[in-house]
Every structure is written in C-alpha cells, then in structure tokens.
Amino acid sequence: MTGPADPLVVATPGDREIVLSRLFDAPAHLVFAAFTRPELLVRWYGARGWRLVECEVDLRVGGRWRYVSQGPDGERMGQGGVYRAVEPPHRLVCTELFDDQSYPGETLVTHEFTELVGRTTVTTTLRYATAEGRDRVLRYPMTRGVGESFARLAELLHETTR
C-alpha cells in the first residue's frame, strides 16, 4: 500500500525535459478526477504552506485552466494554460505559463495515468521551451514542492477510497 511518504521519482531524459513519477493507491479514474476537478484540486495542489485560492478548469481540448496559489506569507503565484488533450482517465496534456515566469516560453505538460490492479502511476513529463529554462527550474525547489503536493494527493485519495 502506498502512502504519503512514497517517493517521487525525478528523471531528466533530455535537455528540455523533467519527468516526475509517483504511484498512488487508487484507481486511475479517481486520480484523473483529482487532477481535473476544482473541488478536489483545492484540497491537494501545492507545496506545504501553499493553497489554491483560484482554480478554474475548462476541461476540453482548447479549454483554458488557471490556478492562483497563495503562500504562507500571503505571496501569490499564478499559472495557466490550454488543454491540448483530454483522455480520461489515461492522459491529460496542457500548456503551462506562470504569471511571473523566470524562463522563456510555454511548457508542455503531459500527465499519464497508468492503472495496474487498482493502483495508479502518474507520470508527468514537463517539456520546456529551452534547455536553459529546464535547468533553471531544476535549481528551484520544484521537486520538493511537487513531492509535498503529491503527498497531500495521496492522503486525499486514501480518504476517498476508504
């Protein structure tokens, strides 16, 4: 059984990609829902101390999404993009651009949800516009934040599947 302490696996297969992977003890349709339904996203998305204060999801190809997170000191971080593929419960592809982004171009984000015996591996591939952008993100505490966020997701899924 997986739990909040399960590791986030991080790989850099190319000079513009970061691949994040984690196993969740829940079926793919529930994990997909957690990634796409605002009422669930607000319960887990964000690093420790951060929470979504705005969450808009127009879940269709060409639809837009927008999140605004608020940190412990009141700072805000906005991000958004457009859905490129919506294939429940297996695949979700969108662009991502932060309001105050420190690297050039949009990022292409691909989430794959692979279920095996009621457990789902989420594999997220982030493809940056440039190698320099990818390298800059790797210097940020992004992997810690995603790990903390995914731990919160695991707890939510555990509550949902009990």
Side-chain angles (χ1 to χ4, degrees), residues 88-142:
H90 306 291
R91 191 164 171 261
L92 186 64
V93 181
C94 62
T95 59
E96 178 183 72
L97 191 63
F98 286 86
D99 292 357
D100 297 319
Q101 188 160 287
S102 63
Y103 49 91
E106 285 186 324
T107 302
L108 185 65
V109 181
T110 302
H111 302 289
E112 294 176 330
F113 305 86
T114 307
E115 182 178 338
L116 184 62
V117 196
R119 301 169 84 196
T120 303
T121 299
V122 175
T123 304
T124 299
T125 302
L126 304 161
R127 183 167 174 80
Y128 294 88
T130 65
E132 296 77 20
R134 192 278 318 250
D135 291 346
R136 178 170 289 215
V137 169
L138 285 172
R139 290 192 295 271
Y140 294 152
M142 185 264 296

Side-chain angles (χ1 to χ4, degrees), residues 1 25 30 155-162:
M1 179 177 213
D25 195 19
L30 290 179
E155 291 167 8
L156 171 64
L157 291 168
H158 180 71
E159 293 168 12
T160 306
T161 58
R162 284 196 294 188

Side-chain angles (χ1 to χ4, degrees), residues 16-57:
R16 291 173 41 201
E17 291 86 26
I18 299 173
V19 178
L20 309 164
S21 182
R22 191 184 191 284
L23 179 66
F24 294 95
D25 195 19
H29 74 275
L30 290 179
V31 182
F32 188 91
F35 272 74
T36 57
R37 291 179 37 202
E39 68 273 18
L40 296 174
L41 280 158
V42 298
R43 294 175 60 190
W44 71 268
Y45 189 89
R48 190 178 305 117
W50 287 79
R51 63 186 177 86
L52 284 180
V53 293
E54 291 179 34
C55 182
E56 300 169 16
V57 173

